[in-house]
């Protein structure tokens, strides 16, 4: 009997749930390329023409794809490469090297990675080169075909391009752009970056060798399209083995997307980030709550998943502070209110804390100044407070001006969730929060 499930079979609910989770997890984690990219047709055509000129006609090029995170820069490049590789000549000849500024943190690592991706480790062997340029030229020479003198075209993709600008002397960028300009070998350099000012980071000699071609992508996504994306990402296709279950699932997804509380949550996510990666994370958390007992995603699941996604790291950090550190933060909040956001120093915080102690007969909060100073320094290490810009480091520590890096809502949330917070501290805090 065929292993493939027969369509329209009525599967046990447990099997249906397992199948749904497998299909949707794959959809969220392995983003499929669309048949055609909507809204960026001109950019797609421009990039395809550029890379064709390198891959087919041996003409060197350099270009930057610029746009905010999650807008689709990598997807644009992947779609262009898919269309480019439909040409048989390109399939046989084009070599690709993918570098990432987060991984290849200096030129030596980048060169090793180029050698590895071009499968030239055996060619390089134990050879010692005088400079990066000699090494790169040798690698490109090694790619020359046996039947004719021309090199095979190489596409260099530099992800997080702006980070390569921080390498010493920008040697990698200089040599890649130099090769592309001098026509020593047919190469295309495609940089992907989210920094609009990326050209300002380049040294003059590097900038002069760059073609100054830039492809800009900007997000023009509307909330209606975003909501539709949620619905399509969660919906099951006709290929699902149990059509009755698929129908019920899709009806529950439609009802979920029409729920007012769900719309409000998604609107908040849309306003903070339009990128689909964060949306997929949200949907993945919702999906993990689906079970035989709860065979559909409910609005409450989305609300809980949203809270997890937007959990405030600083507010969470406050839950692990000592009572003394929490008291110092409350004292800072008092000072912020009294002096309307003006910076404070340790001495002022200590004085404010002493006012609180004078109202209490309990001696559990009586700490020596060195202990208070240590707690104050710990808050600075956690970056919950930071020195005022330009504040002299020669100033005595007690008098160095600081600012509180927390807002009212973060403090309120932390106080409500703080384990076994003493009542008097809570009352003092409430008087600070008004």
């Amino acid at each position: 009997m065929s292993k493939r499930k027969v369509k329209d079979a009525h599967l046990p609910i447990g099997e249906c749930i397992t199948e749904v989770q497998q299909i949707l997890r794959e959809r969220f984690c392995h983003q499929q390329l669309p048949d055609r990219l909507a809204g960026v047709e001109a950019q797609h055509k421009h990039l395809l023409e550029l890379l064709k000129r390198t891959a087919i006609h041996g003409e060197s090029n350099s270009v930057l794809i610029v746009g905010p995170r999650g807008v689709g820069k990598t997807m644009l490049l992947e779609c262009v490469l898919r269309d480019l590789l439909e040409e048989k000549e390109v399939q046989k000849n084009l070599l690709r090297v993918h570098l990432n500024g987060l991984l290849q943190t200096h030129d030596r690592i980048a060169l090793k990675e180029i050698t590895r991706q071009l499968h030239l480790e055996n060619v390089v062997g134990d050879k010692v080169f005088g400079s990066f340029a000699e090494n790169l030229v040798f690698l490109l020479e090694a790619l020359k075909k046996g039947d004719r003198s021309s090199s095979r075209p190489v596409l260099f993709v530099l992800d997080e391009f702006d980070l390569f600008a921080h390498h010493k002397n920008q040697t990698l960028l200089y040599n890649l752009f130099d090769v592309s300009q001098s026509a020593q070998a047919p190469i295309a350099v495609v940089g992907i970056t989210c920094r609009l000012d990326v050209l300002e980071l380049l040294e003059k000699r590097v900038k002069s060798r760059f073609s100054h071609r830039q492809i800009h992508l900007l997000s023009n996504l509307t909330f209606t399209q975003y909501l539709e994306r949620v619905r399509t990402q969660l919906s099951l296709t006709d290929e699902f083995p149990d059509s009755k279950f698929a129908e019920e699932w899709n009806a529950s997804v439609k009802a979920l997307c029409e729920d007012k509380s769900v719309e409000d949550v998604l609107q908040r996510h849309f306003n903070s980030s339009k990128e689909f990666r964060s949306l997929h994370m949200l949907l993945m958390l919702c999906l993990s709550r689906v079970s035989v007992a709860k065979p559909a995603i409910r609005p409450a699941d989305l609300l809980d998943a949203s809270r997890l996604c937007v959990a405030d790291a600083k507010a969470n950090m406050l839950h692990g502070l000592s009572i003394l550190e929490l008291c110092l933060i409350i004292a800072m909040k008092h000072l912020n209110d009294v002096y309307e956001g003006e910076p404070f120093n340790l001495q002022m915080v200590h004085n404010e804390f002493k006012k609180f102690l004078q109202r209490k007969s309990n001696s559990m909060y009586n700490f020596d100044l060195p202990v208070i100073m240590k707690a104050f320094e710990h808050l600075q290490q956690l970056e919950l407070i930071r020195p005022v810009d330009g504040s002299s480091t020669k100033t005595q520590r007690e008098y160095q001006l600081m600012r509180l890096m927390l807002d009212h809502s973060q403090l309120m949330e932390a106080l409500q969730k703080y384990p076994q917070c003493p009542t008097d501290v809570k009352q003092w805090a409430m008087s600070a929060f008004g």
Side-chain angles (χ1 to χ4, degrees), residues 158-351:
L158 305 185
D159 221 334
E160 305 291 346
F161 177 86
D162 48 290
L163 297 181
F164 288 100
H166 299 305
H167 289 199
K168 190 183 177 187
N169 300 329
Q170 299 183 353
T171 311
L172 173 72
L173 297 182
Y174 173 78
N175 283 287
L176 286 177
F177 288 153
D178 191 50
V179 169
S180 72
Q181 196 186 50
S182 59
Q184 296 171 43
I187 73 165
V189 182
V190 178
I192 300 175
T193 180
C194 56
R195 286 196 59 165
L196 292 170
D197 63 342
V198 65
L199 290 183
E200 302 305 312
L201 303 176
L202 301 181
E203 289 179 8
K204 196 174 177 182
R205 66 190 188 121
V206 178
K207 206 187 284 189
S208 67
R209 282 160 174 77
F210 173 53
S211 67
H212 290 263
R213 287 192 189 92
Q214 291 187 57
I215 294 173
H216 286 269
L217 291 184
L218 295 170
S219 180
N220 54 3
L221 188 73
T222 65
F223 180 64
T224 308
Q225 291 169 325
Y226 187 82
L227 204 56
E228 180 58 23
R229 172 77 175 211
V230 173
R231 196 186 64 74
T232 54
Q233 286 292 289
L234 288 174
S235 296
L236 297 173
T237 61
D238 295 339
E239 279 76 46
F240 193 79
D242 188 329
S243 59
K244 186 172 184 298
F245 179 87
E247 204 175 295
E248 289 169 1
W249 174 271
N250 289 346
S252 74
V253 168
K254 187 171 182 289
L256 179 79
C257 292
E258 288 170 357
D259 187 281
K260 183 71 178 78
S261 63
V262 167
E263 266 194 44
D264 291 344
V265 168
L266 292 173
Q267 182 75 60
R268 281 202 299 276
H269 276 266
F270 176 77
N271 291 342
S272 65
S273 171
K274 293 178 176 60
E275 64 171 318
F276 290 129
R277 277 181 292 236
S278 62
L279 173 63
H280 289 157
M281 173 61 75
L282 177 72
L283 299 181
M284 187 75 94
L285 288 168
C286 295
L287 184 65
S288 66
R289 291 167 177 264
V290 174
S291 64
V292 174
K294 295 187 288 185
I297 296 172
R298 301 166 309 166
D301 296 330
L302 195 84
L303 294 172
D304 290 343
S306 173
R307 283 191 200 102
L308 278 174
C309 279
V310 299
D312 193 305
K314 278 187 177 169
N316 287 344
M317 212 182 283
L318 293 176
H319 306 160
L321 296 182
S322 67
I323 288 291
L324 171 59
E325 288 163 344
L326 190 64
C327 285
L328 293 182
I329 283 180
I330 295 167
M332 292 167 197
K333 179 70 174 74
H334 269 290
L335 289 168
N336 263 358
D337 291 348
V338 172
Y339 297 107
E340 297 178 345
E342 287 297 308
F344 51 81
N345 59 35
L346 173 59
Q347 195 60 53
M348 292 164 72
V349 174
H350 188 206
N351 290 341

Side-chain angles (χ1 to χ4, degrees), residues 7 38 47 61 74 80 100 139 145 167 195 203 206 225 280 340 348 404 408 414:
K7 195 177 181 309
L47 188 58
N61 281 303
T74 305
V80 165
N100 190 307
L139 290 177
K145 302 175 191 171
H167 289 199
R195 286 196 59 165
E203 289 179 8
V206 178
Q225 291 169 325
H280 289 157
E340 297 178 345
M348 292 164 72
L404 183 62
H408 177 88

Side-chain angles (χ1 to χ4, degrees), residues 96-97 99 107-125 129 132 135-136 138-140 142-143 156:
R96 281 189 280 171
V97 175
L99 302 177
D107 290 342
R108 207 178 313 113
I109 298 174
L111 199 57
K112 274 187 181 175
E113 188 57 21
I114 293 169
T115 309
R116 188 189 69 78
Q117 290 189 32
L118 293 176
H119 307 294
L120 294 174
E121 294 97 332
N122 295 338
V123 180
V124 174
F129 296 93
F132 183 95
N135 206 329
L136 185 66
F138 176 79
L139 290 177
L140 294 171
L143 295 173
F156 286 90

Side-chain angles (χ1 to χ4, degrees), residues 329-330 333-334 337 407-408 410-413 415 426-434:
I329 283 180
I330 295 167
K333 179 70 174 74
H334 269 290
D337 291 348
D407 63 28
H408 177 88
Q410 288 171 320
L411 287 165
M412 283 296 287
E413 186 194 331
L415 204 69
K426 204 172 265 192
Q427 285 169 350
W428 181 43
M430 289 307 171
S431 70
F433 300 152

